[in-house]
Amino acid sequence: MRVARSRTRPGRILALALTAVLAGACGSGPSEPAAPASQAATVDVSQLDPGNYPVVPRAITDKKPDITVGDVIQESIRLAEHTPIPLEVDDRLVFGGNGRAITADYPPMGIDGFNDRAPGLVAGWQTNGRHRSDISLGLNVHLSVLRFATPAQAVTAADFLLGHTNPEYPDKGPLQIPGYPAAEATLTSLDWVRVYYAQGEYLYWLTIEDDLTVPDGPGFLLDVAKRVLDKAIESVRDYHPTPRDQLAGLLADPDDLLGRTLPAGKGQIWATEGLYGPHGALTLDDRPAVSRVVFADTGVDLVASSLSNIYRTRDDASAQRFTAAFGDELLDRYRPIDPPPGLATARCLQLKDVKYAIGAKFMCYLPYHRYVAEVSADQSQDLRQRLSAQYELLAHGHI
């Protein structure tokens, strides 16, 4: 789900070789991953080395100084479930990622004075979709959906953002989005189309660009903008906003899964830490077209994202298929390596060419019963410690 898992083509789903068939899970409560006997037997806990990483699940009850989990982050993630990925608008936009919450604590990047000039932001989510892996080539769609306290505040935010331009590179002029006479749109100095459309308490903020193919005027980009607006408005209709006076009652980790991820420190996560449904998780994914197929095949219904990610699949066999599929997707840029000592059930990979690396040097997928943990690191010793700690977090209470 992270940029570290940067893939370029669909991979075939392989069966992960195991020395034994997974047996039935031991009994446990709904908030605690059960321990599969055969898989636990393949892990030599005496060789695990978690270093200074925690091995006991943490309780996540509120926003803390070192994590981004909080009321409005959780509400923003709820909104993410109803924010379309650009792939749903144009099936050529197979690359994605950059999803994150937009809140008063985490305002849009590069917009000075946003909270003062656009007050009343309750929750928001942004996502991106593009035609090619290189962000500078081909069609690129940025979509943000912002929820304000009042419709008037949504309009104020639209007006502010429309006027927020670099005076050295002024916009070329206003545009009209077909079917949306109230939308504020402009053609930038780079021939991108920017759109701000306030409807009720929501602001739909779009940037549509195509630096590879220069169209004959902005007509093509305007058509894309219309289709994105159509889809976004349709999707948000199914979002049931939590009343502002009830935001404090949102549970940050009702399934006791986020607390089993490796915790992020300051600066390691940018407004993405939390629990996601499968659609919301795709807004974070750099290859949503492929991951969407894997999610459907393996029954992913919940994703916990922090310094590590945990995917909850349908059952043990699904977790094995998930591990194989996600690992295969990295083989164009990564090569298989042996997992750290004691963790024979993990599938690990290392970048082939570190010089041009975008993601982490090491990636591992660790299945445990119906769960799969995704762990990355840039140093082999750190990988061993992170993966060891992640296993102990998943298996806590069973080892």
Side-chain angles (χ1 to χ4, degrees), residues 101-124:
I102 299 179
T103 70
D105 287 336
Y106 301 93
M109 290 184 284
I111 307 292
D112 295 334
F114 180 85
N115 289 335
D116 293 333
R117 300 292 301 277
L121 179 61
V122 177

Side-chain angles (χ1 to χ4, degrees), residues 49-56 262-263 381-382 384-386 388-389:
D49 176 16
N52 292 322
Y53 289 101
V55 296
V56 176
L262 296 174
Q381 179 63 16
D382 195 28
R384 179 182 182 181
Q385 293 180 349
R386 289 185 180 188
S388 295

Side-chain angles (χ1 to χ4, degrees), residues 177-383:
I177 304 299
Y180 292 92
E184 299 184 89
T186 185
L187 185 66
T188 74
S189 61
L190 297 174
D191 291 322
W192 301 351
V193 170
R194 289 192 297 133
V195 183
Y196 308 98
Y197 179 57
Q199 184 184 68
E201 66 268 35
Y202 299 101
L203 172 61
Y204 300 89
W205 172 10
L206 284 64
T207 301
I208 316 293
E209 58 190 83
D210 190 339
D211 292 335
L212 182 63
T213 302
V214 180
D216 184 16
F220 167 72
L221 300 182
L222 292 174
D223 176 67
V224 174
K226 178 188 184 305
R227 289 189 284 124
V228 173
L229 278 177
D230 288 344
K231 183 63 177 179
I233 292 168
E234 175 189 358
S235 299
V236 170
R237 289 195 185 105
D238 294 328
Y239 163 64
H240 300 289
T242 303
R244 285 184 295 154
D245 61 357
Q246 296 178 24
L247 288 172
L250 290 177
L251 297 178
D253 193 16
D255 292 87
D256 187 31
L257 191 61
L258 184 60
R260 293 177 183 268
T261 60
L262 296 174
K266 279 189 175 181
Q268 290 180 306
I269 299 294
W270 181 256
T272 59
E273 188 176 25
L275 284 178
Y276 294 80
H279 178 84
L282 288 175
T283 69
L284 305 174
D285 201 290
D286 57 335
R287 296 295 184 273
V290 176
S291 295
R292 182 170 61 175
V293 174
V294 177
F295 282 12
D297 173 67
T298 61
V300 170
D301 67 348
L302 190 66
V303 180
S305 180
S306 189
L307 183 61
S308 61
N309 299 314
I310 300 175
Y311 301 84
R312 190 172 70 185
T313 69
R314 183 184 298 110
D315 51 32
D316 297 21
S318 298
Q320 302 304 324
R321 293 201 308 277
F322 184 103
T323 298
F326 267 38
D328 269 9
E329 290 306 319
L330 291 169
L331 291 178
D332 63 314
R333 294 181 56 215
Y334 285 74
R335 61 179 178 85
I337 59 172
D338 291 335
L343 291 159
T345 56
R347 182 176 185 181
C348 295
L349 306 100
Q350 180 178 342
L351 271 173
K352 296 176 182 177
D353 190 347
V354 179
K355 181 178 180 181
Y356 300 104
I358 296 177
K361 182 177 179 180
F362 298 101
M363 288 291 296
C364 286
Y365 293 93
L366 176 66
Y368 182 83
H369 188 38
R370 64 185 291 202
Y371 304 88
V372 179
E374 182 180 55
V375 179
S376 62
D378 289 319
Q379 302 293 331
S380 59
Q381 179 63 16
D382 195 28
L383 178 70

